[in-house]
């Protein structure tokens, strides 16, 4: 059986052979190069056929070794390792190393990697002054986006993206400084004094320290919450070519420094249909307020008044595997922090939605954001911080995807085509004749 596609253009009767290319799984992700369609035309002057695919629902923009998702079967793997196993056995820094290097680290590699990340966690003192310029009620995601972009001006050498040693340095910095900037953004909006990193703590322990340390001389993170945050970070480390990652690759393809590309990716994450969804889920649960109001709320969702936040996914047409892990974890965290009335509403909402014809026929299941907000709130994070908590671990994935793109000789500056549907040439009319 030849690995080609035969296309007959009924306009001309001409026949074309187009090769099919495969990834790791021949039955998942077989593709044709849409540039092979350019030879198909009616006449010699014809531009040739384009692929038309609004929102890239069926177009691969790259080959990648990082993340595999089978949305039909609810499978997520980083570099071949199932997410469930990584969440159970690994740590976030180990997983960050994995997505960036393609292999799990040896103990020595992990020690070196962790040391480097932990020892880049301080930010320049001017960053604090820069942050002081934001209003007291500034959304921390807006502060994060702007401040990460500002880092570009502190590290001008980061423009040399082909320098592998320099690239490694920026990767350490970005993974290390995102939690610091996130915590500073939170403390700015609260009016709290800024807390410096404690390099003796773990990545997540230090983040909790920078967020919540008050008058104690030394902050000791609660081990249950520290572990829960680490697992949440593992689950959010990468998710292949979504809106924010495409922004990272798209902006990165014009070869700016990685700080501005991460700022662009963070902006992509901010919207309510992507990383802003967990914030919206919490607001939705608060708005519903009690279990008896759920049926009325679901009715309005079905009438199209609004969407059920935390439900549905472009790829998962099954239970999001990350949501399954988080559902379990919610109970563990709440055992520690005390119960939340929002959990009862969430569980009942999920039960009703999963039995409802509207959600069943559209294959709408809970996604990662459905439970993460409840956990974050129980841990003491304000709702505004939820998308920020998503951006911190996703930085590892963005950088892995960016680095992979830079080393991929097939990649160029991203430049999608369009199908022009505007007017044909027409004469210019002076303003008094329009
Ligand atoms: N609530 C109600 N109906 C929904 C929902 C929802 N959450 N999601 C999709 N639908 C319906 C749509 O109305 C549409 O119905 P129709 O065929 O009658 O018009 C159908 O399901 C298909 O929806 P699309 O918008 O075409 O699906 P798409 O794949 O483009 O959207 C998305 C995916 C954006 C995630 C969507 O499901 C959504 O808006 N969900 C709520 C927001 C959310 O939770 N986002 C987080 C995603 S996970 C992440 O980013 C980490």
């Amino acid at each position: 059986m030849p690995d080609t596609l035969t296309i007959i253009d009924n306009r001309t009767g001409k026949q074309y052979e187009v090769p099919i290319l495969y990834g790791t799984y021949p039955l998942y992700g077989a593709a044709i190069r849409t540039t092979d369609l350019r030879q198909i035309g009616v006449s010699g002057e014809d531009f040739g056929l384009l692929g038309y695919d609004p929102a890239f629902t069926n177009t691969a923009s790259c080959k990648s070794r990082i993340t595999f998702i089978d949305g039909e079967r609810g499978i997520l793997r980083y570099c071949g390792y199932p997410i469930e196993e990584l969440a159970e056995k690994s740590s976030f820094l180990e997983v960050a190393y994995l997505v960036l290097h393609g292999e799990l680290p040896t103990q020595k590699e992990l020690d070196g990697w962790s040391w480097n990340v932990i020892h880049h966690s301080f930010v320049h003192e001017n960053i604090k002054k820069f942050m002081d310029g934001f209003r007291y009620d500034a959304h921390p995601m807006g502060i994060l986006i702007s401040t990460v972009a500002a880092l570009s001006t502190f590290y001008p050498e980061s423009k040399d993206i082909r320098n592998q040693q320099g690239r490694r340095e920026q990767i350490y910095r970005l993974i290390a400084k995102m939690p610091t900037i996130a915590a500073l953004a939170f403390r700015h909006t609260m009016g709290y004094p800024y807390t410096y990193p404690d390099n003796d703590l773990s990545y997540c322990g230090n983040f909790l320290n920078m967020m919540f340390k008050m008058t104690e001389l030394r902050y000791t993170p609660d081990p249950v919450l520290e572990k829960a945050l680490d697992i949440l970070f593992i689950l959010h480390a990468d998710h292949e070519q979504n809106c924010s990652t495409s922004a990272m690759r798209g902006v990165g393809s014009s070869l700016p420094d990685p700080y501005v590309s991460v700022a662009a990716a963070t902006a992509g994450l901010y919207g309510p249909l992507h990383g802003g969804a967990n914030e919206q889920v919490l607001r939705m649960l608060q708005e519903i307020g009690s279990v008896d109001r759920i049926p009325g709320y679901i009715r309005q969702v079905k009438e199209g008044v609004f969407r059920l936040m935390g439900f549905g996914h472009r790829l998962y047409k099954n239970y999001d595997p990350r949501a399954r892990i988080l559902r379990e974890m919610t109970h563990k965290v709440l055992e520690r922090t005390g119960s939340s009335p929002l959990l009862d509403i969430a569980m009942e909402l999920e039960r009703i939605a999963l039995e409802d014809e509207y959600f069943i026929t559209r294959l709408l299941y809970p996604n990662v954001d459905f439970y993460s907000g409840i956990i974050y709130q129980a841990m003491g994070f304000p709702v505004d911080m939820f998308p920020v908590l998503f951006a911190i671990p996703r930085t590892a994935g963005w950088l892995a995807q960016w680095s992979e793109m830079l080393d991929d000789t097939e990649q160029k500056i991203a430049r999608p085509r369009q199908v022009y549907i505007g007017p044909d040439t027409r004469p210019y009319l002076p303003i008094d004749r329009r």
Side-chain angles (χ1 to χ4, degrees):
M1 189 172 63
D3 290 335
T4 58
L5 190 72
T6 303
I7 301 171
I8 298 172
D9 186 344
N10 292 322
R11 299 172 299 177
T12 58
K14 279 197 197 157
Q15 185 169 312
Y16 304 86
E17 293 281 307
V18 175
I20 295 174
L21 57 100
Y22 298 100
T24 302
Y25 305 106
L27 298 181
Y28 198 107
I32 59 160
R33 285 179 190 275
T34 44
T35 44
D36 284 344
L37 302 177
R38 287 283 290 279
Q39 57 181 312
I40 304 175
V42 180
S43 70
E45 290 157 23
D46 196 328
F47 181 80
L49 274 191
L50 295 172
Y52 174 59
D53 185 9
F56 309 113
T57 56
N58 197 43
T59 295
S61 60
C62 62
K63 294 175 184 164
S64 181
R65 299 171 180 278
I66 302 167
T67 292
F68 174 73
I69 300 174
D70 178 343
E72 305 292 326
R73 292 191 290 157
I75 292 174
L76 168 62
R77 298 184 201 124
Y78 298 152
C79 306
Y81 296 102
I83 192 68
E84 294 79 4
E85 231 179 318
L86 292 171
E88 190 191 330
K89 300 176 183 162
S90 212
S91 69
F92 170 67
L93 280 187
E94 226 177 325
V95 168
Y97 183 99
L98 171 68
V99 296
L100 277 150
H101 297 83
E103 297 295 338
L104 283 167
T106 61
Q107 187 62 55
K108 191 165 167 247
E109 285 164 340
L110 180 62
D111 292 346
W113 163 249
S114 305
W115 193 93
N116 273 310
V117 170
I118 286 168
H119 287 82
H120 280 89
S121 56
F122 275 65
V123 290
H124 193 289
E125 284 293 298
N126 284 4
I127 286 286
K128 292 196 318 192
K129 292 187 201 145
F130 175 79
M131 282 188 160
D132 282 341
F134 287 97
R135 268 174 59 130
Y136 68 97
D137 58 352
H139 195 290
M141 200 64 169
I143 302 181
L144 181 70
I145 293 165
S146 320
T147 311
V148 175
L151 284 183
S152 154
T153 64
F154 288 79
Y155 304 108
E157 74 278 14
S158 64
K159 288 178 184 22
D160 186 7
I161 50 163
R162 296 286 174 208
N163 176 334
Q164 291 289 346
Q165 177 52 34
R167 202 191 294 177
R168 265 195 296 278
E169 192 88 353
Q170 313 319 324
I171 288 173
Y172 295 141
R173 285 187 178 134
L174 271 158
I175 294 179
K177 291 184 202 309
M178 285 295 270
T180 311
I181 297 170
L184 292 179
F186 164 72
R187 294 184 80 97
H188 170 79
T189 57
M190 299 300 287
Y192 295 161
Y194 297 140
T195 310
Y196 284 90
D198 180 342
N199 289 350
D200 292 334
L201 294 174
S202 71
Y203 187 78
C204 288
N206 174 46
F207 178 53
L208 291 170
N209 157 64
M210 291 187 291
M211 284 286 300
F212 299 124
K213 181 171 183 290
M214 295 305 282
T215 53
E216 61 273 48
L217 285 178
R218 195 86 195 264
Y219 179 88
T220 312
D222 180 317
V224 174
L225 304 190
E226 186 181 358
K227 177 72 187 160
L229 192 60
D230 199 68
I231 294 174
L232 274 153
F233 280 8
I234 291 173
L235 302 183
H236 285 88
D238 192 57
H239 213 232
E240 53 120 306
Q241 311 309 318
N242 48 44
C243 174
S244 56
T245 303
S246 300
M248 181 80 196
R249 281 183 176 256
V251 172
S253 73
S254 77
L255 310 183
D257 68 70
Y259 298 101
V260 291
S261 298
V262 168
T266 312
L269 188 72
Y270 192 7
L273 298 188
H274 191 10
N278 53 12
E279 183 176 350
Q280 301 303 325
V281 171
L282 231 273
R283 294 198 196 283
M284 174 187 77
L285 294 175
Q286 282 165 339
E287 192 189 320
I288 296 174
S290 60
V291 169
D292 57 299
R293 294 185 50 181
I294 294 175
Y297 196 86
I298 296 258
R299 200 175 324 112
Q300 292 193 71
V301 168
K302 284 156 59 173
E303 285 165 3
V305 181
F306 33 68
R307 288 191 169 200
L308 192 56
M309 299 314 286
F311 261 70
H313 197 278
R314 173 61 59 77
L315 299 186
Y316 294 119
K317 303 303 170 195
N318 202 323
Y319 213 103
D320 179 337
R322 301 165 299 172
R324 209 182 285 284
I325 298 168
L326 289 184
R327 197 178 194 272
E328 287 292 309
M329 195 208 282
T330 312
H331 293 284
K332 278 192 198 145
V333 169
L334 291 183
E335 260 171 41
R336 189 70 173 191
T337 59
S339 68
S340 159
L342 298 185
L343 179 61
D344 298 336
I345 300 172
M347 305 254 314
E348 183 62 4
L349 196 59
E350 180 190 317
R351 191 189 65 75
I352 294 178
L354 291 182
E355 287 173 0
D356 192 293
E357 183 66 13
Y358 175 96
F359 295 90
I360 294 169
T361 52
R362 288 169 179 79
L363 303 172
L364 298 172
Y365 292 86
N367 60 47
V368 68
D369 291 320
F370 193 65
Y371 285 105
S372 62
I374 299 174
I375 302 177
Y376 288 142
Q377 196 198 37
M379 292 171 88
F381 291 103
V383 177
D384 280 1
M385 281 294 286
F386 294 179
V388 172
L389 289 159
F390 193 154
I392 295 171
R394 183 55 58 85
T395 301
W398 290 331
L399 290 167
Q401 300 272 352
W402 168 75
S403 213
E404 187 178 63
M405 177 203 63
L406 292 177
D407 294 339
D408 181 345
T409 51
E410 279 197 292
Q411 291 292 338
K412 296 173 177 223
I413 184 167
R415 177 59 170 90
R417 289 279 179 179
Q418 62 167 15
V419 176
Y420 176 71
I421 56 166
D424 198 355
T425 317
R426 46 184 175 164
Y428 180 84
L429 283 182
I431 197 156
D432 57 344
R433 286 178 44 212
R434 283 176 216 157

